[in-house]
Amino acid sequence: MVRSHVLICGGTGCTSSGSAALREALAEQLKANGLENEIKIVQTGCFGLCALGPIMIVYPEGTFYSRVTVEDIPEIVSEHLLKGRIVDRLAYNKSEDAGEDAAAHEMHTSLNDTNFYKKQKRVALRNCGVINPEKIDEYIAMDGYFALAKVLTEMSREDVVQTLLDSGLRGRGGAGFPTGLKWKFAMGSTGKKYVCCNADEGDPGAFMDRSILEGDPHAVLEAMAIAGYAIGADEGFIYVRAEYPLAVERLRIAIARDEELGLLGDNILGTDFSFHLHINRGAGAFVCGEETALMTSIEGKRGEPRPRPPFPAIKGLFEKPTILNNVETYANIPQIILKGADWFASMGTEKSKGTKVFALGGKITNTGLVEVPMGTTLREVVEEIGGGIPNGKKFKAAQTGGPSGGCIPASLIDTPIDYDNLIAIGSMMGSGGLIVMDEDTCMVDLAKFFLEFTVDESCGKCAPCRIGTVRMLELLTKITEGKGEMEDLDKLEELAKYIKSASLCGLGQTAPNPVLSTLRYFRDEYEAHIKEKRCPAGVCKRLLSFSIDPEKCKGCTMCARVCPAGAISGSVKTPHVIDTTKCLKCGACIEKCKFGAISKK
């Protein structure tokens, strides 16, 4: 009889940290101690707190072990699983997510008590970190496929669409278009139809969709089958980023099991409804995340956007009526069907219902995956859930929406996060990337980074995006190199205006957002680069100068030894000097100096 379950994260993050080896070591130790029939090992998806992986949770106690290594396994087995004594040094506690002294607080054995989890509301992520994504029985035990059974036996197509309309669910892929309205348009079309899932998650720092597919693939498959029933489609495609091999593998396993059990394929659950699903690997281009480019890629053509109208609900994949939603949008739908539109609409704000998943990264203590009700403030996400900025640094800004979004300054940290509020302050929800920046971030350099990404990923089909973004990047490069002029700021804003209004697809239309938002809130940094030839954050190398304080220098020679350009000279136990004409401004000398004698300006 099983008395304990040990959940070990099997998502990409923890897998890269060695969680597979942990499972093997644990299985060996359990067998060696005669516990193989009493303790069950469960491979799960992502728990969310990626900063502390690999993660292991022991139930029924709920003890959360973080940063576990293979060497820790014998102690966990002998102390906890055999003797019932928690291994305190490995157990996660409330102080860790607040950056405080661990010894000053009692240990937590419930995830919901920690700052990282207690303000979260997991809907799309409800099964991630809870079930084995490769075991369909575990998904069914969590009410899996009950929603599909309900729509096939109790609801008309119109009922399903109306439920989504009443719920207020908006697309989680970026634009925030009402999901029920999109389905309604497709339902009204005739002939062959398709259902598509956008899992081509290309934003830098975003991993929401990947984690859902790795941790709860059946939720997406069930929702797509519901979508097929609602609009009258019998075929669907999941377009997955090629760099997500684990997500692809778990999708393949899930689809195969569904087909074996009659949950996908012909005559699902004994009804006259049939639905077949296919997996397409992404073409490796960011633009293929745009809905018309994605469909063009599935058709076997170069992934380029198409003019709209006609919209995909009228003329989409293979020129047939098609609905396309992203992974997170689909993951909400089974719960909406089971619990009702009012349940979902009770969360969030008036115009942004439900929850939103964010990939929290950058200069933040708790990097990872979070899901919060719409309307949660940025301060709550950064300071409470995220644990604040490490190393005593100050919060400077947060970037939402990836290359298509904008920067939210510290002065707006109390802004409730929802679709309309973010647009009002010059940003956007996007798919859910949330990158936090501290005082050491140069906002001009940041805008340049995102524009470099956009220039590289532009498909080149339309001139405003193909040429305009390159011109903007040239101006930003000029400014970061100390060659900028004040007129360049006017040129940037003028170019941005034309690119936003004339580009063919969403990639080009939103490409100027990082530049416009940083100009709006951090114009003083642009002016410092131009007027003073100075980077206030000390990031832009062409504007930096390194010097050695003779009062602090002890003449240890370490800086001279690590300088790759031979730019530092001086005798032992005498102050050294830097030849600025040779200096590469790499910063190696600062990293090695133990006396704080080297500074950059």
Side-chain angles (χ1 to χ4, degrees):
M1 180 178 178
V2 175
R3 61 176 174 83
S4 290
H5 289 74
V6 180
L7 277 57
I8 299 179
C9 176
T12 291
C14 285
T15 298
S16 66
S17 300
S19 65
L22 293 184
R23 293 196 302 274
E24 294 175 5
L26 180 58
E28 291 175 3
Q29 285 294 312
L30 292 178
K31 187 174 182 179
N33 287 274
L35 297 174
E36 66 268 30
N37 296 321
E38 297 181 39
I39 312 293
K40 181 178 180 181
I41 302 172
V42 181
Q43 172 189 257
T44 72
C46 178
F47 290 107
L49 195 47
C50 303
L52 298 180
I55 290 170
M56 176 187 294
I57 302 180
V58 180
Y59 285 104
E61 303 94 316
T63 303
F64 184 112
Y65 289 123
S66 61
R67 298 192 179 102
V68 183
T69 66
V70 170
E71 291 72 25
D72 297 322
I73 296 299
E75 184 179 2
I76 291 174
V77 172
S78 63
E79 288 297 305
H80 189 157
L81 300 180
L82 271 174
K83 301 173 184 176
R85 298 192 295 222
I86 293 174
V87 182
D88 289 352
R89 67 181 182 85
L90 296 172
Y92 180 58
N93 59 79
K94 68 181 178 184
S95 62
E96 288 185 56
D97 57 14
E100 300 171 3
D101 181 11
H105 298 280
E106 65 183 32
M107 202 65 64
H108 277 277
T109 56
S110 172
L111 297 186
N112 294 331
D113 290 334
T114 66
N115 287 338
F116 183 78
Y117 289 101
K118 68 184 179 184
K119 285 206 169 183
Q120 293 194 47
K121 176 69 176 177
R122 292 165 80 86
V123 179
L125 298 178
R126 72 186 189 95
N127 288 331
C128 293
V130 177
I131 66 171
N132 185 334
E134 297 182 11
K135 303 290 185 182
I136 193 171
D137 293 348
E138 296 194 16
Y139 179 69
I140 292 174
M142 302 296 288
D143 296 334
Y145 292 104
F146 281 50
L148 178 60
K150 180 178 178 179
V151 302
L152 293 182
T153 59
E154 301 177 21
M155 302 175 71
S156 67
R157 297 167 56 198
E158 292 77 11
D159 290 338
V160 175
V161 172
Q162 190 60 50
T163 298
L164 289 186
L165 287 168
D166 293 342
S167 74
L169 176 66
R170 295 172 65 171
R172 297 318 198 225
F177 190 80
T179 304
L181 192 58
K182 181 183 289 189
W183 289 23
K184 185 176 181 179
F185 290 152
M187 183 176 66
S189 301
T190 58
K192 174 75 173 179
K193 302 176 187 179
Y194 294 99
V195 173
C196 290
C197 175
N198 185 348
D200 192 56
E201 189 174 46
D203 287 5
F207 51 94
M208 301 77 60
D209 291 352
R210 184 198 77 199
S211 296
I212 292 173
L213 292 178
E214 291 176 355
D216 195 18
H218 286 286
V220 177
L221 303 187
E222 181 178 13
M224 293 185 71
I226 291 170
Y229 171 77
I231 72 165
D234 61 4
E235 194 170 5
F237 292 84
I238 306 176
Y239 191 88
V240 189
R241 188 178 180 187
E243 295 85 350
Y244 287 173
L246 184 57
V248 171
E249 178 61 22
R250 288 183 177 165
L251 277 172
R252 284 176 175 161
I253 292 171
I255 290 173
R257 290 295 289 131
D258 280 349
E259 291 174 343
E260 289 173 15
L261 297 178
L263 296 168
L264 282 178
D266 295 325
N267 304 116
I268 295 173
L269 295 175
T271 68
D272 59 0
F273 172 63
S274 300
F275 190 71
H276 298 265
L277 268 176
H278 314 281
I279 299 173
N280 273 73
R281 299 289 288 269
F286 179 67
V287 73
C288 287
E290 193 276 337
E291 61 178 4
T292 60
L294 182 152
M295 294 176 194
T296 303
S297 180
I298 291 177
E299 294 168 358
K301 305 170 188 173
R302 177 183 170 88
E304 292 181 335
R306 300 188 280 225
R308 296 175 300 176
F311 291 94
I314 305 301
K315 188 177 180 181
L317 184 63
F318 301 116
E319 300 189 351
K320 304 297 182 182
T322 306
I323 59 170
L324 173 72
N325 292 112
N326 84 324
V327 170
E328 185 185 344
T329 308
Y330 281 123
N332 282 285
I333 289 171
Q335 289 299 291
I336 292 174
I337 296 296
L338 284 179
K339 296 183 178 180
D342 292 342
W343 166 79
F344 188 81
S346 68
M347 298 178 283
T349 62
E350 182 181 354
K351 295 183 179 179
S352 299
K353 305 296 186 182
T355 60
K356 182 70 188 78
V357 180
F358 291 98
L360 192 58
K363 303 295 183 65
I364 190 77
T365 299
N366 296 327
T367 58
L369 207 63
V370 304
E371 184 173 5
V372 293
M374 292 279 195
T376 301
T377 66
L378 181 60
R379 183 186 298 276
E380 291 175 284
V381 174
V382 172
E383 295 183 357
E384 297 182 40
I385 297 173
I389 314 300
N391 305 317
K393 299 290 185 177
K394 294 180 181 178
F395 171 75
K396 185 172 187 176
Q399 169 85 4
T400 62
S404 302
C407 292
I408 306 170
S411 61
L412 297 176
I413 194 171
D414 291 308
T415 300
I417 301 174
D418 65 16
Y419 290 101
D420 300 314
N421 282 331
L422 290 183
I423 291 173
I425 61 176
S427 187
M428 64 182 293
M429 187 74 72
S431 58
L434 202 164
I435 301 175
V436 179
M437 290 153 278
D438 67 12
E439 58 195 88
D440 294 333
T441 303
C442 172
M443 305 310 291
V444 185
D445 182 68
L446 181 82
K448 177 170 167 279
F449 166 80
F450 281 115
L451 205 57
E452 285 173 335
F453 179 86
T454 305
V455 167
D456 188 55
E457 293 293 344
S458 173
C459 73
K461 185 172 184 177
C462 69
C465 179
R466 182 181 70 247
I467 302 172
T469 55
V470 173
R471 297 290 86 82
M472 288 187 75
L473 179 58
E474 288 172 352
L475 290 171
L476 286 175
T477 302
K478 180 182 173 185
I479 292 170
T480 57
E481 292 180 350
K483 303 173 184 177
E485 304 170 27
M486 288 303 294
E487 293 79 9
D488 292 334
L489 302 186
D490 296 328
K491 292 177 182 177
L492 280 171
E493 291 177 329
E494 185 179 10
L495 277 167
K497 174 184 175 182
Y498 288 118
I499 293 169
K500 286 175 71 70
S501 63
S503 291
L504 177 61
C505 79
L507 185 147
Q509 292 161 9
T510 58
N513 285 349
V515 179
L516 290 175
S517 67
T518 50
L519 275 171
R520 178 177 177 181
Y521 296 115
F522 301 96
R523 198 177 190 90
D524 59 325
E525 288 198 27
Y526 281 87
E527 292 180 354
H529 282 70
I530 295 171
K531 294 178 180 179
E532 303 171 31
K533 309 302 178 187
R534 177 179 65 89
C535 175
V539 172
C540 299
K541 287 187 177 181
R542 295 290 184 91
L543 302 180
L544 294 180
S545 62
F546 288 73
S547 61
I548 299 177
D549 185 343
E551 298 292 327
K552 295 181 179 179
C553 181
K554 306 300 181 182
C556 70
T557 74
M558 181 60 74
C559 58
R561 281 183 278 166
V562 299
C563 178
I568 301 177
S569 60
S571 303
V572 177
K573 296 185 179 181
T574 62
H576 284 44
V577 293
I578 298 177
D579 184 344
T580 57
T581 62
K582 294 182 179 179
C583 179
L584 300 176
K585 304 171 184 179
C586 64
C589 55
I590 290 181
E591 291 178 8
K592 289 296 182 180
C593 182
K594 299 178 181 178
F595 308 103
I598 306 176
S599 61
K600 62 179 179 179
K601 297 180 180 178

